[in-house]
């Protein structure tokens, strides 16, 4: 028995060095800390057998090129958001944010116990990419506006930086969705080149200094109701890992998935109070009829997506059925409780 | 293995001196090092697979969209003789005074700089337009070449400047990186517009200093800078009234400059939008002055393609170079060097400024912006330097570097267009006073950083 | 015989590059007109389309990716000419030949090989814009990477040939255009 142990311990331990690319600047609050923590967890749990070096956006590849880098095997894994891959897979945004969609809790339930994860894996499979939930920003604010929105007419001609399906919805309401890179948003809002911009929520928005550029902060949740982030891994690289390391990767991702939401939940209100008390930001809500109109446009946009892409239709069916059952349940329980506590 | 990164840097500087195009030399040398490194197992070849993503990132970069538009605008103003008319009008106005032609050249150079940002193009234009005139009027060749070279480089600093657009793109990501490294959860941003605003006062100070020098020169050596005779003036004026000449030459370009610069600084438009409006404005101006012939339009489009392709191929070459540099661990090496350096932030700034100044002898602004600044800027900014101040210091530093014999770019450009009778040595001697003026400005900005930071704060709060 | 063959190669490639360059040049005008229209529509009429914004970006990409070979032909890629401009014509020709063989060709061929799968993947899925209302031609835009490699390789070969001729003839004036 001793001999067997000796021969095992005499074998050199095989180690793995991975590179992880992200769509955010390194150490960016919230989003950017996720991959850093992941690397640290994996390193410690595997006692250094799997080490992961994190590269911020642009250090190895630009932020919007993360998926390609994983798919091509340039690096082993990445941390990003699925809506950036809409151009490759029209259904991808379902796995990050859909206007008037699920909350973070509901989404994680669908993903891990409602068949969502299997659909997601199937979607990325042709690219040789394995997805895992990689954190959640929680419900996001409607954004920063230089003027008040009192009716749906106030959205007409409004130049707003808002990506993805939310932008498509706003366009139907008469707004002009504008695409701007991260660095351009602040100065464009400040200079008046755009009238409004969404970003994340108080924690990140405070960090970006938007309060210096716009007076009104709309807290209405509608376009990103619980934005899910992702760890994406090159399938071949993952399969080359021994089983225990694979498990470590999976569990570390799950830990980060929970940890990020915890952090946002803890810090968002803290940051909101700073915005209100120190920076005199005026927090507003969209009037009811504006939200009703936006929801109507959302249904139009989604119906078009469903008609255009069978994969979108298939995933949407699972998603919307789950959302429906969640709504029934939460209407019965939490909705009343939120009113009563 | 990190030392290979340094070796690569040294080797590429050497190979560049042979004179093969910079973009291809940067990329080729890096590739060679990557190849040799992979063979010996000290370079991970998978780094190179990031190349297509990085190139596509360049294709997709919205900030840099302003570059071809500003180039188009500058080429159009040059081609439609708007610059030439400006110089003529100015010399009628100021030519009666000793040294007046020199001041005219400075002011026209400033206006050209405020409408475009290509140093080479401005030096060549000014050299072709004004050097023969100055020499014909009996100006000292040394003084003439010096002032043409110096004002020709104003495009570097006076906004809108392509140099500042490129620098703004690089500095904004460096600044964000630096702040996050410092654990700042409230990172501020720096934009192209900020740099433009920061450059206005230093640019005007520089013009004022050049003008002062002209006046002093005229005072002490009046015979070297004679005034124009009435016959000279009549020849330029060609029977037109002075007022109408001034009006038609001055108002349109001034209006254009005001619109473009004002739109950016006052925040009506992003630099890219303003560049589009400026390019269109220059085209309409040419049309209005009857200079928009098919031939001129073709020439403008042609030089826009060539200059844009030149700039962006360097960007791609530099991107490959920095990828390999990173693959060899070069970034950690540079960071380590600066962290060990004594003298803190002042020492580090001095070293960086000196290195950039020396590199300015062999590298163009674009290469330095894309190869050197991304490596050193995050470190300096993490030490607490103001990004706008740093950007302007780098821009003026390089402007000086372009003027410094024997390796200044501006000197080569002027040598290329100056008459053979003008001695190279007099070009070299002529720029010396202007180099001193620029170094004084650098010192002044180091002493009073508010000269840079005041205006951006006033405008953007 | 060899000389004749070289001359033919050069003139064929030159012609191709010249034509593409002239064609590409019109895109700069299109960029100006489009960006001006975007500003007028957005500020004057509160109108805007993502596809329009993206088309300017597409033209921009085409201008410098396809214009690089044209610029090489016109010797427009900036050089460090401290020593180069003092070299004899023969020495300059040597720099261009060796640079072409050891810098340009390896770089272009490597870009082509490394980028091939990346571009083909985009074609396979007919990649579209990630923006709602954006252009559905990302695969064409990405193909510019391969086109840069191909056009620059072609013109690079022409330049190598041209400079070989210069070595032989020793008279730069006999072949018009190109790298001097
Ligand atoms: Na958002
Ligand atoms: Na300028």
């Amino acid at each position: 028995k001793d001999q067997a142990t000796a021969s095992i311990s005499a074998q050199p331990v095989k180690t793995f060095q991975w590179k992880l690319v992200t769509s955010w600047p390194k150490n960016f609050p919230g989003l950017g800390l996720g991959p850093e923590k992941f690397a640290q967890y994996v390193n410690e749990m595997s006692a250094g057998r799997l080490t992961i070096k994190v590269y911020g956006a642009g250090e190895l590849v630009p932020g919007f090129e993360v998926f390609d880098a994983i798919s091509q095997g340039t690096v082993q894994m990445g941390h990003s958001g699925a809506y950036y891959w809409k151009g490759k897979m029209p259904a991808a945004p379902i796995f990050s944010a859909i206007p008037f969609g699920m909350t973070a809790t509901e989404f994680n339930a669908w993903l891990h116990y409602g068949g969502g994860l299997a659909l997601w894996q199937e979607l990325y499979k042709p690219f040789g990419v394995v997805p895992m939930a990689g954190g959640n920003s929680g419900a996001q604010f409607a954004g920063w506006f230089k003027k008040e929105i009192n009716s749906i007419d106030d959205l007409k001609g409004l130049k707003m930086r808002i990506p993805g399906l939310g932008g498509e919805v706003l366009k139907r309401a008469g707004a002009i969705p504008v695409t701007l890179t991260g660095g351009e948003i602040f100065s464009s809002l400040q200079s008046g080149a755009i009238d409004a911009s969404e970003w994340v929520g108080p924690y990140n928005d405070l960090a970006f200094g938007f309060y210096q550029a716009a007076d009104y902060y709309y807290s209405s949740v509608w376009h990103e109701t619980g934005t899910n982030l992702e760890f994406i891994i090159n399938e071949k690289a993952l399969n080359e890992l021994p089983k225990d390391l694979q498990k470590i990767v999976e569990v570390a991702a799950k830990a980060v998935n929970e940890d990020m939401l915890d952090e946002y939940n803890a810090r968002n209100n803290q940051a909101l109070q700073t915005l209100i008390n120190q920076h005199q930001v005026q927090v507003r809500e969209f009037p009811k009829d504006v939200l009703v109109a936006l929801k109507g446009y959302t249904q139009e946009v989604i119906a078009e997506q469903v008609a255009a892409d069978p994969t979108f239709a298939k995933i949407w069916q699972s998603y919307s059925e789950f959302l429906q059952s969640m709504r029934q349940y939460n209407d019965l329980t939490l909705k009343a409780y939120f009113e009563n506590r | 293995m990190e030392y290979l990164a340094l070796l690569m840097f040294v080797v590429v500087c050497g190979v560049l001196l042979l004179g093969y195009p910079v973009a291809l030399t940067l990329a080729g040398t890096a590739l060679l090092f990557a190849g040799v490194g992979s063979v010996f197992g000290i370079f991970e070849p998978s780094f190179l697979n990031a190349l297509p993503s990085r190139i596509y990132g360049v294709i997709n970069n919205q900030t840099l969209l302003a570059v071809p538009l500003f180039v188009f605008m500058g080429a159009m103003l040059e081609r439609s003789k708007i610059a030439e008319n400006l110089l003529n009008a100015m010399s009628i106005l100021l030519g009666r005074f000793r040294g007046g032609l020199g001041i005219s050249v400075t002011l026209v150079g400033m206006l050209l700089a405020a409408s475009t940002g290509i140093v080479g193009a401005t030096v060549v234009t000014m050299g072709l337009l004004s050097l023969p005139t100055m020499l014909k009027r009996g100006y000292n060749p040394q003084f003439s070449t010096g002032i043409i070279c110096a004002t020709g480089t104003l495009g570097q600093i006076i906004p809108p400047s392509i140099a500042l657009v490129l620098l703004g793109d690089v500095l904004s990501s460096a600044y964000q990186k630096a702040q996050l490294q410092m654990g700042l959860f409230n990172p501020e941003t720096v934009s192209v517009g900020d740099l433009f605003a920061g450059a206005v006062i230093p640019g005007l100070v520089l013009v004022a200093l050049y003008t002062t020098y002209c006046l002093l020169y005229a005072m002490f050596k009046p015979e070297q800078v004679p005034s124009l005779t009435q016959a000279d003036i009549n020849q330029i004026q060609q029977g037109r009234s002075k007022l109408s000449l001034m009006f038609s030459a001055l108002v349109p370009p001034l209006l254009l400059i005001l619109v473009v610069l004002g739109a950016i600084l006052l925040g009506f438009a992003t630099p890219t939008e303003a560049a589009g409006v400026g390019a269109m404005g220059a085209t309409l101006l040419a049309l209005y002055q009857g200079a928009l012939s098919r031939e001129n339009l073709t020439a403008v489009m042609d030089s826009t393609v060539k200059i844009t392709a030149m700039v962006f191929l360097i960007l791609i070459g530099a991107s490959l170079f920095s990828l390999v540099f990173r693959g060899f661990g070069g970034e950690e090496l540079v960071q380590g060097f600066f962290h060990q350096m004594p003298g803190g932030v002042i020492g580090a700034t001095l070293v960086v400024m000196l290195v950039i100044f020396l590199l300015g002898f062999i590298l163009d602004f674009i290469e330095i912006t894309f190869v050197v600044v991304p490596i050193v800027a995050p470190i300096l900014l993490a030490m607490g330097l103001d990004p706008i101040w740093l950007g302007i210091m780098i821009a003026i530093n390089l402007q000086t570097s372009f003027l410094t014999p024997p390796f200044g770019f501006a000197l080569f450009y002027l040598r290329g267009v100056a008459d053979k009778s003008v001695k190279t040595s007099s070009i070299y001697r002529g720029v010396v006073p202007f180099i001193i003026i620029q170094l004084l400005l650098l010192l002044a900005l180091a002493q009073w950083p508010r000269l840079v930071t005041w205006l951006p704060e006033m405008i953007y709060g | 015989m060899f000389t004749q063959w070289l001359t033919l190669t050069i003139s064929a490639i030159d012609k191709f590059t010249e034509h593409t360059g002239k064609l590409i040049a019109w895109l700069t005008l299109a960029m100006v007109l489009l960006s001006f229209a975007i500003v007028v529509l957005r500020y004057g009429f509160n109108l805007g389309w993502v596809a329009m914004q993206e088309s300017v970006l597409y033209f921009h990409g085409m201008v410098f990716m396809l214009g690089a070979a044209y610029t090489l032909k016109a010797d427009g890629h900036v050089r460090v000419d401290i020593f180069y401009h003092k070299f004899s014509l023969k020495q300059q020709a040597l720099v261009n030949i060796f640079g072409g063989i050891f810098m340009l060709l390896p770089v272009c061929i490597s870009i082509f090989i490394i980028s091939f799968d990346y571009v083909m993947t985009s074609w396979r899925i007919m990649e579209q814009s990630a923006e709602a209302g954006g252009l559905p031609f990302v695969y064409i835009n990405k193909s510019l990477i391969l086109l840069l490699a191909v056009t620059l390789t072609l013109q690079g070969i022409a330049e190598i040939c041209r400079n070989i001729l210069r070595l032989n003839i020793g008279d730069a004036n006999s072949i018009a255009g190109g790298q001097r």
Side-chain angles (χ1 to χ4, degrees):
Chain A
K1 192 189 165 200
D2 278 342
Q3 243 177 346
T5 321
S7 75
I8 287 170
S9 63
Q11 264 186 2
V13 180
K14 190 156 164 43
T15 61
F16 297 82
Q17 281 91 35
W18 276 16
K19 292 194 271 288
L20 187 159
V21 290
T22 75
S23 298
W24 352 100
K26 224 176 158 179
N27 295 323
F28 192 80
L31 309 173
L33 290 177
E36 299 287 347
K37 280 184 185 156
F38 175 83
Q40 189 197 332
Y41 294 163
V42 169
N43 190 14
E44 285 173 11
M45 285 195 276
S46 70
R49 285 166 56 219
L50 173 56
T51 51
I52 295 173
K53 186 165 159 69
V54 180
Y55 292 88
E59 291 190 345
L60 265 190
V61 296
F64 295 151
E65 291 290 313
V66 167
F67 192 90
D68 285 278
I70 315 301
S71 174
Q72 302 285 322
T74 306
V75 296
Q76 292 80 8
M77 73 179 295
H79 188 252
S80 190
Y83 43 19
Y84 294 143
W85 326 132
K86 178 176 173 286
K88 302 177 199 300
M89 303 158 276
I94 302 177
F95 294 100
S96 54
I98 285 279
F100 297 96
M102 294 193 222
T103 65
T105 318
E106 292 168 342
F107 184 86
N108 279 320
W110 173 62
L111 210 55
H112 298 122
Y113 291 93
L117 185 61
L119 289 167
W120 197 9
Q121 287 166 343
E122 192 184 319
L123 182 68
Y124 285 6
K125 180 89 180 161
F127 298 90
V129 175
V130 180
M132 291 174 189
N136 198 303
S137 71
Q140 300 197 2
F141 276 44
W144 296 85
F145 291 72
K146 292 183 85 109
K147 55 177 197 181
E148 283 186 272
I149 304 299
N150 295 320
S151 74
I152 193 81
D153 281 340
D154 288 333
L155 290 175
K156 294 213 161 62
L158 183 94
K159 295 175 270 282
M160 177 163 186
R161 183 267 174 193
I162 173 170
L165 292 178
E168 189 60 27
V169 171
L170 268 191
K171 191 173 172 58
R172 277 163 214 249
I176 306 169
V178 183
T179 61
L180 289 173
T181 50
E184 284 180 320
I185 303 174
F186 180 80
S187 53
S188 302
L189 188 61
Q190 192 176 42
S191 70
I194 55 174
D195 307 310
S197 176
E198 67 84 51
W199 185 233
V200 182
Y203 173 40
N204 280 141
D205 293 11
L206 170 67
F208 231 76
F210 286 118
Y211 59 87
Q212 296 165 41
D215 289 336
Y216 304 104
Y217 194 19
Y218 275 82
S219 61
S220 304
V221 174
W222 74 276
H223 72 301
E224 296 193 43
T225 57
T227 307
N228 176 59
L229 302 161
E230 64 180 14
F231 282 113
I232 44 180
I233 306 171
N234 180 283
E235 194 179 8
K236 225 173 93 206
L238 186 62
N239 290 339
E240 276 167 10
L241 290 183
K243 283 276 170 292
D244 61 332
L245 288 184
Q246 287 184 11
K247 203 71 198 170
I248 286 176
V249 166
E250 195 184 309
V251 172
K254 260 213 144 141
V256 168
N257 189 42
E258 186 186 315
D259 183 83
M260 191 186 294
L261 186 61
D262 294 349
E263 193 196 355
Y264 272 105
N265 281 336
R267 294 200 202 267
N268 265 339
N269 190 48
Q270 209 178 315
L272 185 63
Q273 295 313 316
T274 309
L275 284 170
I276 295 170
N277 298 325
Q278 278 181 30
H279 304 298
Q280 283 77 46
V281 167
Q282 316 216 26
V283 177
R284 293 275 190 281
E285 275 182 82
F286 285 155
K288 182 80 183 157
D289 61 325
V290 168
L291 287 166
V292 168
L294 290 177
K295 190 170 175 188
Y297 293 128
T298 300
Q299 281 158 353
E300 279 178 37
V301 169
I302 288 176
E304 274 174 25
Q305 300 282 331
V306 165
D309 182 41
T311 312
F312 190 105
K314 180 179 158 193
I315 300 172
W316 177 250
Q317 194 184 351
S318 166
Y319 183 98
S320 57
E321 276 170 11
F322 198 84
L323 174 59
Q324 198 54 40
S325 84
M326 271 296 172
R327 182 182 296 141
Q328 272 174 12
Y329 183 76
N330 283 335
D331 279 355
L332 211 60
T333 53
L334 287 176
K335 191 180 174 191
Y337 174 64
F338 280 150
E339 303 285 330
N340 297 330
R341 69 175 174 180
Chain B
M1 152 177 151
E2 297 86 42
Y3 287 95
L4 273 175
L6 215 60
L7 182 68
M8 181 171 81
F9 206 93
V10 174
V11 168
V12 89
C13 287
V15 178
L16 279 171
L17 290 176
L18 292 176
Y20 196 65
V22 171
L24 296 163
T25 308
L26 279 171
T29 311
L31 206 60
L32 209 74
F33 268 80
V36 174
S38 329
V39 169
F40 288 102
I42 42 180
F43 182 86
E44 205 183 316
S46 75
F47 266 96
L48 291 180
N49 291 337
L51 192 59
S53 285
R54 286 167 81 94
I55 297 179
Y56 187 64
V58 174
I59 297 177
N60 235 355
N61 186 320
Q62 288 184 50
T63 317
L64 300 180
L65 196 53
V67 172
L69 297 171
F70 276 134
V71 172
F72 191 99
M73 174 177 163
M76 185 59 87
L77 288 178
E78 187 199 326
R79 189 74 200 183
S80 56
K81 300 226 185 310
I82 289 166
E84 197 178 332
N85 294 340
L86 254 177
L87 189 68
N88 282 338
M90 284 287 190
S91 35
I92 292 176
L93 193 70
L94 299 169
R96 297 181 184 287
F97 310 102
R98 291 188 180 276
L101 204 50
I103 296 175
S104 307
V105 167
T106 309
L107 295 180
V108 172
M110 175 184 80
L111 292 179
L112 278 188
S115 61
T116 174
I118 311 279
V119 168
T122 319
V123 174
V124 168
T125 311
M126 297 297 291
L128 287 172
L129 289 181
S130 48
L131 189 57
T133 318
M134 292 173 96
L135 297 179
K136 204 162 71 194
R137 314 289 186 224
Y139 265 59
N140 176 311
Q142 204 169 302
F143 174 80
S144 308
T145 51
I147 198 143
I148 288 171
C149 279
T151 52
T153 57
L154 280 174
Q156 178 84 10
I157 178 79
I158 293 185
S161 128
I162 288 169
L164 293 178
V165 173
L166 302 179
L167 204 52
D169 188 52
V170 172
L171 274 179
S172 71
S173 65
Y175 190 39
Q176 195 166 40
K177 199 171 156 186
Q179 291 179 90
L180 292 172
Q181 253 166 23
M182 292 153 78
L184 279 184
F185 272 6
N186 195 352
E188 290 168 357
T189 54
V190 57
S191 66
V192 174
D194 290 329
L195 282 187
F196 279 7
V200 170
I201 293 177
L204 291 178
V205 169
L206 205 50
V207 172
L209 290 174
Y210 288 174
T211 312
T212 313
Y213 174 74
C214 286
L215 292 173
L216 289 175
Y217 193 91
M219 212 150 87
F220 290 106
K221 295 185 178 169
E223 74 289 349
Q224 302 287 331
V225 284
S227 52
L228 296 192
T229 61
Q230 190 56 45
D232 289 335
I233 292 176
N234 288 346
Q235 193 205 339
I236 299 172
Q237 217 165 328
Q238 286 175 343
R240 287 166 296 181
S241 89
K242 197 181 280 184
L243 198 69
S244 83
L245 200 65
M246 292 300 302
F247 189 80
S248 68
L250 264 176
V251 173
L254 276 180
L255 216 61
L256 187 65
I257 290 162
L258 269 179
V259 167
V260 171
L261 215 51
I264 298 172
L265 293 181
L266 298 178
F268 295 120
T270 62
T272 308
E273 289 171 339
V277 173
M280 191 66 195
T283 311
L284 293 176
L285 212 59
L287 185 70
Y288 168 73
Q289 305 209 334
L292 194 66
S293 61
R294 168 91 189 230
E295 186 203 346
N296 280 349
L297 181 63
T298 312
V300 168
M301 297 189 312
D302 198 69
S303 55
T304 308
V305 169
K306 284 174 188 158
I307 295 173
T308 308
M310 181 269 282
V311 170
F312 283 84
L313 197 66
I314 291 176
L315 225 167
I316 291 171
S319 176
L320 178 56
F321 185 84
S322 62
L323 183 66
V324 175
F325 189 76
R326 195 181 290 276
F328 276 118
E331 224 193 4
E332 286 88 346
L333 183 76
V334 175
Q335 273 168 0
F337 170 75
F338 277 101
H339 286 307
Q340 289 162 12
M341 232 190 56
V345 62
I346 296 177
T349 311
L350 269 176
V351 169
V352 167
M353 284 292 157
L354 191 68
V355 167
I356 288 180
F357 182 77
L358 294 176
L359 284 175
F361 289 163
I362 54 164
L363 295 182
D364 192 20
F365 189 90
I366 309 157
E367 292 108 69
I368 293 179
T369 304
F370 292 120
V371 179
V372 185
V373 177
I375 300 172
V376 296
I379 302 165
L380 289 183
L381 294 174
M383 292 175 170
L385 287 188
D386 183 281
I388 306 177
W389 180 82
L390 180 65
I392 304 303
M393 289 294 278
I394 292 175
I396 297 177
N397 183 355
L398 282 175
Q399 191 191 346
T400 317
S401 180
F402 295 158
L403 278 181
T404 311
F407 294 143
F409 275 95
L411 308 172
F412 297 150
Y413 291 132
L414 188 67
R415 177 69 277 175
V417 295
D419 193 78
K420 291 277 169 288
S421 67
V422 178
K423 280 197 235 123
T424 305
S425 61
S426 65
I427 298 182
Y428 283 9
R429 273 202 297 271
V431 292
V432 170
F434 296 95
I435 294 170
I436 295 172
I437 288 176
Q438 298 199 357
L439 290 178
L440 285 178
L441 179 65
L442 276 177
L443 282 179
L445 296 185
Q447 182 62 37
W448 300 292
R450 297 286 294 158
L451 284 173
V452 174
T453 54
W454 178 78
L455 191 61
E457 273 171 32
M458 280 300 287
I459 295 177
Y460 300 119
Chain C
M1 182 61 204
F2 179 63
T3 314
Q4 219 169 19
W5 185 82
L6 281 184
T7 318
L8 268 174
T9 313
I10 297 169
S11 78
I13 297 176
D14 274 1
K15 219 173 261 165
F16 170 75
T17 304
E18 192 74 26
H19 281 305
T20 26
K22 292 259 173 346
L23 217 61
I24 286 301
W26 285 98
L27 291 180
T28 62
L29 183 65
M31 282 177 71
V32 172
L33 296 175
L34 264 175
S35 10
F36 183 68
I38 288 171
V39 174
V40 171
L41 287 174
R42 191 195 287 181
Y43 290 89
F45 300 92
N46 282 333
L47 286 172
W49 291 271
V50 174
M52 205 162 159
Q53 289 183 39
E54 285 190 355
S55 56
V56 184
L57 207 55
Y58 274 50
F59 288 165
H60 170 56
M62 289 182 203
V63 164
F64 67 85
M65 294 297 275
L66 300 178
Y70 180 61
T71 309
L72 181 73
K73 178 175 173 296
D75 197 14
H77 288 294
V78 66
R79 304 165 180 270
V80 176
D81 59 358
I82 304 164
F83 299 118
Y84 184 81
H85 83 285
K86 290 186 193 136
F87 286 170
S88 69
L89 291 175
K90 209 160 210 167
Q91 283 171 319
Q92 292 188 348
L94 277 173
V95 166
N96 289 325
I97 293 166
F98 281 104
I101 294 173
F102 293 108
M103 299 281 157
L104 187 147
L105 290 183
V107 166
C108 289
I109 292 168
S110 305
I111 289 180
F112 190 91
I113 294 172
I114 295 171
S115 308
F116 190 77
D117 273 351
Y118 173 86
V119 177
M120 285 307 128
T121 308
S122 186
W123 273 89
R124 215 179 52 232
I125 57 172
M126 290 297 195
E127 188 169 0
Q128 308 186 353
S129 169
E131 300 288 340
L135 292 175
F137 309 117
V138 170
Y139 51 98
I140 294 179
N141 213 14
K142 285 188 172 173
S143 305
L144 288 175
I145 304 174
L146 298 182
L147 289 175
L148 168 86
V150 170
T151 53
L152 210 51
T153 301
L154 272 180
Q155 192 57 40
I157 291 172
E159 296 308 325
I160 293 170
C161 295
R162 194 184 338 266
N163 282 285
I164 290 175
L165 279 186
R166 274 182 192 147
L167 271 188
N168 283 345
I169 300 166
D171 173 16
N173 298 329
S174 63
I175 305 115
Q179 291 190 342
R180 252 149 296 173

